Amino acid sequence: MTARQVSQFQAEAVGALVPFAPTEVEPDGVTVAEADFARSVFPHVPFEAARFTVPPGGTSSPDQHAVQEIWVVHAGSGTLDVDGERSLVGPGSLVGFASQTVHEIFADQGEELVIYSFWWSAPDE
């Protein structure tokens, strides 16, 4: 690989933005925009991602699925319920869910919650 090829690759890969698909509004008022990796310089990442918001006083619907998931709370504070156990989360909180774990977030602290979610297939057990 020549120096020119290396710098060209770095220019494309470093700091490249991943676009989001159009935002959808769910029946519970939560807005969701999935990352569109297919239209980025990273079309084959081994995970999916989305940004979602929960309006003040709102809640996400209880969720349970076969994938593993991590949430990063970007803004706002609220109460997280994981299989019936509750804890407060806020900016910078990082929480993970094993597959089939029931999880729900409440924006019960008077502010909108903005969360980034990353999920991938659970390994075969």
Side-chain angles (χ1 to χ4, degrees):
M1 186 179 278
T2 68
R4 181 176 178 183
Q5 289 171 320
V6 169
S7 70
Q8 209 172 29
F9 173 77
Q10 289 175 344
E12 292 174 358
V14 176
L17 293 176
V18 175
F20 283 93
T23 300
E24 296 180 13
V25 180
E26 297 186 348
D28 54 18
V30 172
T31 62
V32 179
E34 289 196 21
D36 189 353
F37 289 108
R39 293 188 309 134
S40 76
V41 296
F42 308 107
H44 303 292
V45 296
F47 59 89
E48 295 184 62
R51 176 186 62 231
F52 72 94
T53 62
V54 182
T59 182
S60 64
S61 298
D63 200 16
Q64 180 181 28
H65 37 66
V67 297
Q68 295 175 322
E69 185 175 19
I70 289 176
W71 286 358
V72 179
V73 179
H74 175 71
S77 298
T79 302
L80 174 68
D81 186 304
V82 179
D83 280 341
E85 291 189 33
R86 292 187 170 213
S87 50
L88 291 175
V89 295
S93 292
L94 177 68
V95 293
F97 313 107
S99 68
Q100 302 307 327
T101 302
V102 178
H103 50 283
E104 183 176 15
I105 189 83
F106 301 87
D108 56 4
Q109 303 297 306
E111 52 193 349
E112 177 181 73
L113 277 166
V114 179
I115 298 173
Y116 289 89
S117 172
F118 303 87
W119 65 95
W120 59 95
S121 296
D124 294 333
E125 298 187 33

